[in-house]
mmCIF file of all heavy atoms in Angstrom:
data_model
loop_
_atom_site.group_PDB
_atom_site.id
_atom_site.type_symbol
_atom_site.label_atom_id
_atom_site.label_comp_id
_atom_site.label_asym_id
_atom_site.label_seq_id
_atom_site.Cartn_x
_atom_site.Cartn_y
_atom_site.Cartn_z
ATOM 1 N N CYS F 44 3.144 15.664 17.378
ATOM 2 C CA CYS F 44 4.548 15.347 17.152
ATOM 3 C C CYS F 44 5.437 16.467 17.672
ATOM 4 O O CYS F 44 5.181 17.650 17.412
ATOM 5 C CB CYS F 44 4.812 15.137 15.663
ATOM 6 S SG CYS F 44 6.564 14.938 15.228
ATOM 7 N N ASN F 45 6.484 16.082 18.376
ATOM 8 C CA ASN F 45 7.508 17.034 18.807
ATOM 9 C C ASN F 45 8.834 16.602 18.190
ATOM 10 O O ASN F 45 9.374 15.558 18.556
ATOM 11 C CB ASN F 45 7.608 17.065 20.338
ATOM 12 C CG ASN F 45 8.541 18.155 20.833
ATOM 13 O OD1 ASN F 45 8.980 19.005 20.063
ATOM 14 N ND2 ASN F 45 8.831 18.143 22.111
ATOM 15 N N PRO F 46 9.374 17.354 17.243
ATOM 16 C CA PRO F 46 10.595 16.917 16.554
ATOM 17 C C PRO F 46 11.822 17.071 17.442
ATOM 18 O O PRO F 46 11.743 17.598 18.551
ATOM 19 C CB PRO F 46 10.664 17.880 15.368
ATOM 20 C CG PRO F 46 10.022 19.133 15.878
ATOM 21 C CD PRO F 46 8.923 18.669 16.794
ATOM 22 N N ILE F 47 12.935 16.621 16.937
ATOM 23 C CA ILE F 47 14.211 16.798 17.634
ATOM 24 C C ILE F 47 14.507 18.290 17.719
ATOM 25 O O ILE F 47 14.301 19.022 16.744
ATOM 26 C CB ILE F 47 15.331 16.044 16.907
ATOM 27 C CG1 ILE F 47 15.096 14.530 17.020
ATOM 28 C CG2 ILE F 47 16.702 16.404 17.466
ATOM 29 C CD1 ILE F 47 16.041 13.679 16.191
ATOM 30 N N SER F 48 14.976 18.708 18.865
ATOM 31 C CA SER F 48 15.238 20.123 19.080
ATOM 32 C C SER F 48 16.190 20.683 18.025
ATOM 33 O O SER F 48 17.239 20.098 17.731
ATOM 34 C CB SER F 48 15.861 20.307 20.476
ATOM 35 O OG SER F 48 16.180 21.666 20.691
ATOM 36 N N GLY F 49 15.772 21.793 17.436
ATOM 37 C CA GLY F 49 16.630 22.445 16.438
ATOM 38 C C GLY F 49 16.391 21.987 15.005
ATOM 39 O O GLY F 49 16.943 22.568 14.068
ATOM 40 N N HIS F 50 15.577 20.953 14.836
ATOM 41 C CA HIS F 50 15.297 20.485 13.479
ATOM 42 C C HIS F 50 14.248 21.374 12.826
ATOM 43 O O HIS F 50 13.147 21.542 13.341
ATOM 44 C CB HIS F 50 14.816 19.028 13.508
ATOM 45 C CG HIS F 50 15.938 18.051 13.612
ATOM 46 N ND1 HIS F 50 15.783 16.712 13.325
ATOM 47 C CD2 HIS F 50 17.231 18.217 13.971
ATOM 48 C CE1 HIS F 50 16.942 16.091 13.493
ATOM 49 N NE2 HIS F 50 17.834 16.982 13.892
ATOM 50 N N ALA F 51 14.608 21.902 11.653
ATOM 51 C CA ALA F 51 13.720 22.843 10.979
ATOM 52 C C ALA F 51 12.620 22.144 10.190
ATOM 53 O O ALA F 51 11.549 22.699 9.981
ATOM 54 C CB ALA F 51 14.523 23.741 10.044
ATOM 55 N N THR F 52 12.911 20.931 9.736
ATOM 56 C CA THR F 52 11.973 20.260 8.834
ATOM 57 C C THR F 52 11.241 19.136 9.545
ATOM 58 O O THR F 52 11.851 18.350 10.269
ATOM 59 C CB THR F 52 12.722 19.709 7.611
ATOM 60 O OG1 THR F 52 13.456 20.786 7.011
ATOM 61 C CG2 THR F 52 11.753 19.156 6.582
ATOM 62 N N LEU F 53 9.961 19.080 9.302
ATOM 63 C CA LEU F 53 9.109 18.057 9.932
ATOM 64 C C LEU F 53 8.256 17.410 8.859
ATOM 65 O O LEU F 53 7.744 18.092 7.959
ATOM 66 C CB LEU F 53 8.237 18.705 11.014
ATOM 67 C CG LEU F 53 7.366 17.789 11.874
ATOM 68 C CD1 LEU F 53 7.212 18.357 13.278
ATOM 69 C CD2 LEU F 53 6.016 17.516 11.248
ATOM 70 N N TYR F 54 8.137 16.108 8.942
ATOM 71 C CA TYR F 54 7.387 15.329 7.960
ATOM 72 C C TYR F 54 6.324 14.499 8.675
ATOM 73 O O TYR F 54 6.573 13.972 9.764
ATOM 74 C CB TYR F 54 8.293 14.342 7.221
ATOM 75 C CG TYR F 54 9.597 14.895 6.678
ATOM 76 C CD1 TYR F 54 10.684 15.124 7.520
ATOM 77 C CD2 TYR F 54 9.759 15.144 5.320
ATOM 78 C CE1 TYR F 54 11.889 15.609 7.028
ATOM 79 C CE2 TYR F 54 10.962 15.617 4.810
ATOM 80 C CZ TYR F 54 12.025 15.843 5.674
ATOM 81 O OH TYR F 54 13.214 16.311 5.178
ATOM 82 N N TRP F 55 5.190 14.328 8.021
ATOM 83 C CA TRP F 55 4.190 13.345 8.438
ATOM 84 C C TRP F 55 4.069 12.303 7.332
ATOM 85 O O TRP F 55 3.887 12.644 6.160
ATOM 86 C CB TRP F 55 2.823 13.986 8.657
ATOM 87 C CG TRP F 55 2.665 14.717 9.945
ATOM 88 C CD1 TRP F 55 2.678 16.061 10.148
ATOM 89 C CD2 TRP F 55 2.426 14.133 11.237
ATOM 90 N NE1 TRP F 55 2.488 16.365 11.474
ATOM 91 C CE2 TRP F 55 2.318 15.195 12.170
ATOM 92 C CE3 TRP F 55 2.292 12.824 11.702
ATOM 93 C CZ2 TRP F 55 2.083 14.992 13.528
ATOM 94 C CZ3 TRP F 55 2.051 12.617 13.052
ATOM 95 C CH2 TRP F 55 1.957 13.690 13.952
ATOM 96 N N TYR F 56 4.158 11.035 7.730
ATOM 97 C CA TYR F 56 4.008 9.919 6.808
ATOM 98 C C TYR F 56 2.844 9.037 7.261
ATOM 99 O O TYR F 56 2.545 8.924 8.440
ATOM 100 C CB TYR F 56 5.258 9.044 6.799
ATOM 101 C CG TYR F 56 6.482 9.635 6.139
ATOM 102 C CD1 TYR F 56 7.374 10.420 6.867
ATOM 103 C CD2 TYR F 56 6.765 9.380 4.806
ATOM 104 C CE1 TYR F 56 8.506 10.941 6.278
ATOM 105 C CE2 TYR F 56 7.908 9.893 4.199
ATOM 106 C CZ TYR F 56 8.768 10.674 4.946
ATOM 107 O OH TYR F 56 9.903 11.183 4.354
#
Side-chain angles (χ1 to χ4, degrees):
Chain F
C44 173
N45 187 10
I47 292 173
S48 177
H50 279 196
T52 306
L53 185 148
Y54 312 78
W55 282 104
Y56 288 88

